[in-house]
Amino acid sequence: MISVAIDGPAGAGKSTLSRKLAEHFGFIYVDTGAMYRAVGLKFSQMGADTELNCDIEKILADTTVDIRFVGTEQRVFLDGEDVSDKIRTPEMSMMASAVSAKPPVRAFLLDTQRKLAENNDCLMDGRDIGTVVLPNATVKIYLTASAEDRAMRRYKELIEKGQTVEFKDVYDDMVKRDYNDMHREIAPLKQADDAVVADTTGLEFEQSFELLINIINKGIEGK
Ligand code: DC
């Protein structure tokens, strides 16, 4: 099976690019961030905030997170309910970042992620795909851009969805989330030694898309 691992900080364009790349190559697209968001939603439904002063193991024992595909589009189900849209809020971004720092949560999702890659040609994006989830991925990419660029893209996305947000809040949340994701003890966001870095600062979508197609084609040819 071919697996393409794409890691990088929030807002680097991972999900938009990965979705299109998966379509281009005919692979499934696995958005692991959505799985952490679904777990974050569950904890929020159980009354927890980002401090997570709750019995994590107990809540996980009563939680299911499944990924299903409609064509190549991933939908994420929490306890049987499709929550793919509900998880796209700034609150769920912060909850996802909080739960993702907890080892039992990472262990809870790891198996599902690996099985998807064992059974399908796939493109998987997240923070630890090249370093922990798929250390033997066919191609590893570390996708990044400046914090300003990333915050502006996320801000525009939220505004397009009709949410009321301030640029400064989006920027501050992003910097805080980068810090959390890079400094947690378990599976922190970092570039795998054998990853190719793609910096999309200042690039239009089409330019980033072409850049990644070239990296992936080269990576697959080289194996
Ligand atoms: O990519 P995203 O913004 O949807 O991810 C939400 C959060 O989940 C992010 O702050 C970090 C965490 N995450 C992670 O720790 N590991 C992954 N493989 C994917 C996401």
Side-chain angles (χ1 to χ4, degrees):
M1 290 290 164
I2 296 174
S3 52
V4 179
I6 303 190
D7 292 301
K14 289 192 302 291
S15 32
T16 323
L17 283 163
S18 297
R19 191 169 297 121
K20 287 279 172 203
L21 288 163
E23 243 170 56
H24 176 89
F25 286 100
F27 300 168
I28 63 162
Y29 164 45
V30 182
D31 169 2
T32 61
M35 299 166 103
Y36 285 97
R37 285 169 183 269
V39 174
L41 175 61
K42 173 69 176 242
F43 278 71
S44 166
Q45 288 171 347
M46 298 304 288
D49 61 19
T50 51
E51 296 297 316
L52 298 176
N53 292 319
C54 53
D55 188 337
I56 293 177
E57 306 268 7
K58 191 163 168 230
I59 295 178
L60 288 177
D62 190 31
T63 301
T64 58
V65 173
D66 300 312
I67 294 292
R68 296 179 209 162
F69 291 90
V70 180
T72 54
E73 193 200 349
Q74 169 184 295
R75 306 294 293 178
V76 61
F77 288 75
L78 171 64
D79 300 331
E81 184 198 350
D82 185 343
V83 296
S84 313
D85 301 318
K86 258 189 213 171
I87 55 174
R88 300 287 158 200
T89 64
E91 291 72 30
M92 282 314 118
S93 298
M94 294 317 277
M95 279 304 287
S97 186
V99 297
S100 72
K102 301 292 179 189
V105 174
R106 302 203 75 83
F108 175 73
L109 295 176
L110 187 62
D111 239 24
T112 312
Q113 294 167 352
R114 285 193 175 147
K115 288 232 166 68
L116 284 164
E118 263 165 37
N119 298 324
N120 305 276
D121 286 331
C122 85
L123 198 145
M124 191 178 292
D125 78 356
R127 304 294 187 286
D128 62 336
I129 310 305
T131 50
V132 176
V133 181
L134 305 176
N136 297 320
T138 320
V139 185
K140 297 183 188 178
I141 298 172
Y142 189 81
L143 185 70
T144 190
S146 72
E148 286 76 13
D149 257 42
R150 293 187 287 112
M152 184 49 80
R153 286 178 202 161
R154 187 51 60 86
Y155 172 74
K156 285 183 181 160
E157 248 172 53
L158 292 169
I159 294 288
E160 265 169 33
K161 282 189 193 150
Q163 300 192 19
T164 320
V165 286
E166 296 291 330
F167 175 74
K168 189 179 176 318
D169 293 337
V170 176
Y171 179 84
D172 289 349
D173 272 7
M174 186 153 285
V175 171
K176 186 162 166 210
R177 213 139 70 83
D178 285 353
Y179 186 88
N180 288 349
D181 296 346
M182 288 175 185
H183 291 86
R184 66 177 177 228
E185 269 173 35
I186 178 166
L189 166 63
K190 68 167 192 250
Q191 187 196 324
D193 292 337
D194 49 352
V196 179
V197 178
D199 186 335
T200 64
T201 306
L203 296 190
E204 295 296 330
F205 177 81
E206 281 304 323
Q207 295 171 305
S208 306
F209 186 57
E210 289 302 320
L211 174 70
L212 294 191
I213 287 181
N214 286 334
I215 294 173
I216 294 170
N217 276 332
K218 258 195 208 140
I220 293 175
E221 277 161 24
K223 292 279 157 157

